[in-house]
Amino acid sequence: MARLNYNHLYYFWAVAREQHLTRAAERLHVSQSSLSAQIKQLEEQLGQPLFTREGRKLVLTEAGHVAMNYADTIFRAGSEMQAMLRDGQTSQRQVLRLGSVATLSRNFQENLIQPLMGKPDVELVLQSGTLDELTRRLYVHDLDAILSNQAIQGNARAPVRCRRIARQSISLVGPPLGRGKQFAFPGDLDQCPLVVPGPSSSIRTGFDLLCEQLQRWPDIIAEVDDMAMMRLLARDTGAIALLPPVVVRDELKNGALQEYCALPGLFEDFYIITADRRFQNPLLNRLMATPAEKILSLD
């Protein structure tokens, strides 16, 4: 295998950061034709096109994004070498960029990423947003994967892989009932003060259908899409919440809340969504190796 020309790689890295050949050439103090020729040589050596042109802008191909990630690592390592020799300390880490749907349980996310936390070779970037926003960022390689409680379908132009990694039953959770008392399902649903997800939630849709089938009419006092807010309301208001137990893991463990019952046929699914790429971040395999029972653990 021919030795990689790091000068060519550096020029590629500069152009990728500028997204413009002329500006990169000016910054590097080389001619545009020389810069273009050296990037062409790098593409020939790698056997992959690294850029496509959209108008006057250069856009990275999938292989270009992979090469850019390696180039970032290589030139960051060079900077770290200088820091090590100059200051005596530095670190070298792989970066995993995850997007999480804003309504997703924080405890679920913590359980999932916990095996990677504290690893000296791993840096996690975790950002939240709407599923549409995160999907757009996934397609342009700003994210390696999305954590979601909603499945999505790709298309021929934008294929995705949506893997279900865990499933948990939906429960009614509320303040402790006291010694010897029990929640009688379904009879106690009538006029029961409930905090529930909003109408767009699949949990809410399934619950409404269940109540209709059972001819039960709970008193819905709040509709909340954010699981963190639902957790606070369940803990602080004395209302009963409709949610996966992992959301209130700590409160169940310390006795502040009690799981009354799991509702028949109601579940929440948890997914890892990735773009259909030839080159995936190798840290994803470590993430997806987390067992479902660990992800949903209440311990």
Side-chain angles (χ1 to χ4, degrees), residues 73-93 120-121 123:
T73 300
I74 289 168
F75 294 119
R76 182 170 61 180
S79 297
E80 290 185 345
M81 178 187 69
Q82 290 179 306
M84 171 61 79
L85 295 176
R86 184 180 61 244
D87 304 326
Q89 59 181 1
T90 185
S91 64
Q92 177 64 30
R93 295 177 175 175
D121 61 335
E123 177 182 343

Side-chain angles (χ1 to χ4, degrees), residues 77-127:
S79 297
E80 290 185 345
M81 178 187 69
Q82 290 179 306
M84 171 61 79
L85 295 176
R86 184 180 61 244
D87 304 326
Q89 59 181 1
T90 185
S91 64
Q92 177 64 30
R93 295 177 175 175
Q94 280 185 288
V95 178
L96 180 63
R97 295 176 174 85
L98 299 174
S100 68
V101 175
T103 58
L104 196 60
S105 161
R106 303 298 187 267
N107 286 335
F108 163 79
Q109 296 176 52
E110 181 184 15
N111 288 349
L112 179 64
I113 66 176
Q114 194 275 333
L116 296 180
M117 294 296 294
K119 301 293 185 183
D121 61 335
V122 175
E123 177 182 343
L124 285 172
V125 178
L126 187 59
Q127 300 171 321

Side-chain angles (χ1 to χ4, degrees), residues 7-274:
N7 195 50
H8 293 169
L9 184 66
Y10 181 76
Y11 283 169
F12 155 77
W13 186 59
V15 173
R17 294 173 72 185
E18 292 288 343
Q19 296 185 313
H20 198 280
L21 194 65
T22 302
R23 286 199 299 268
E26 290 173 352
R27 186 167 68 83
L28 294 168
H29 305 292
V30 298
S31 69
Q32 184 174 331
S33 59
S34 174
L35 186 57
S36 179
Q38 294 194 57
I39 291 174
K40 184 68 175 176
Q41 291 178 52
L42 179 63
E43 289 179 323
E44 290 174 354
Q45 183 178 10
L46 297 177
Q48 302 278 353
L50 301 176
F51 292 104
T52 59
R53 185 174 290 278
E54 293 183 3
R56 304 178 70 177
K57 186 177 178 182
L58 289 175
V59 178
L60 290 170
T61 63
E62 181 176 343
H65 279 285
V66 174
M68 184 62 176
N69 288 338
Y70 276 107
D72 279 335
T73 300
I74 289 168
F75 294 119
R76 182 170 61 180
S79 297
E80 290 185 345
M81 178 187 69
Q82 290 179 306
M84 171 61 79
L85 295 176
R86 184 180 61 244
D87 304 326
Q89 59 181 1
T90 185
S91 64
Q92 177 64 30
R93 295 177 175 175
Q94 280 185 288
V95 178
L96 180 63
R97 295 176 174 85
L98 299 174
S100 68
V101 175
T103 58
L104 196 60
S105 161
R106 303 298 187 267
N107 286 335
F108 163 79
Q109 296 176 52
E110 181 184 15
N111 288 349
L112 179 64
I113 66 176
Q114 194 275 333
L116 296 180
M117 294 296 294
K119 301 293 185 183
D121 61 335
V122 175
E123 177 182 343
L124 285 172
V125 178
L126 187 59
Q127 300 171 321
S128 64
T130 66
L131 186 54
D132 286 344
E133 173 193 352
L134 296 174
T135 302
R136 287 193 294 271
R137 295 183 59 193
L138 181 69
Y139 287 146
V140 298
H141 296 255
D142 281 348
L143 296 172
D144 296 306
I146 299 170
L147 310 180
S148 176
N149 52 1
Q150 306 170 54
I152 64 171
Q153 291 185 338
N155 54 52
R157 294 185 59 190
V160 296
R161 295 178 180 176
C162 189
R163 299 174 178 86
R164 189 179 75 187
I165 57 171
R167 163 177 278 197
Q168 186 169 47
S169 60
I170 302 302
S171 295
L172 294 176
V173 175
L177 293 175
R179 189 170 183 177
K181 294 184 179 180
Q182 292 184 338
F183 185 90
F185 177 85
D188 284 352
L189 277 176
D190 283 333
Q191 303 307 311
C192 173
L194 280 186
V195 177
V196 299
S200 62
S201 165
S202 60
I203 296 175
R204 175 66 181 281
T205 301
F207 179 69
D208 287 348
L209 289 173
L210 179 63
C211 289
E212 184 177 332
Q213 291 168 3
L214 297 173
Q215 293 294 292
R216 301 294 173 180
W217 316 112
D219 178 19
I220 295 175
I221 62 173
E223 295 179 339
V224 181
D225 283 329
D226 186 280
M227 285 293 170
M229 177 57 71
M230 186 173 286
R231 175 187 184 183
L232 293 177
L233 292 176
R235 186 188 68 191
D236 299 337
T237 68
I240 298 171
L242 175 74
L243 42 67
V246 70
V247 174
V248 288
R249 176 194 64 196
D250 296 339
E251 289 76 11
L252 291 174
K253 188 175 180 180
N254 64 28
L257 293 173
Q258 177 181 340
E259 184 179 3
Y260 294 168
C261 64
L263 298 178
L266 289 190
F267 302 93
E268 181 165 48
D269 293 322
F270 300 95
Y271 301 93
I272 290 182
I273 301 169
T274 58

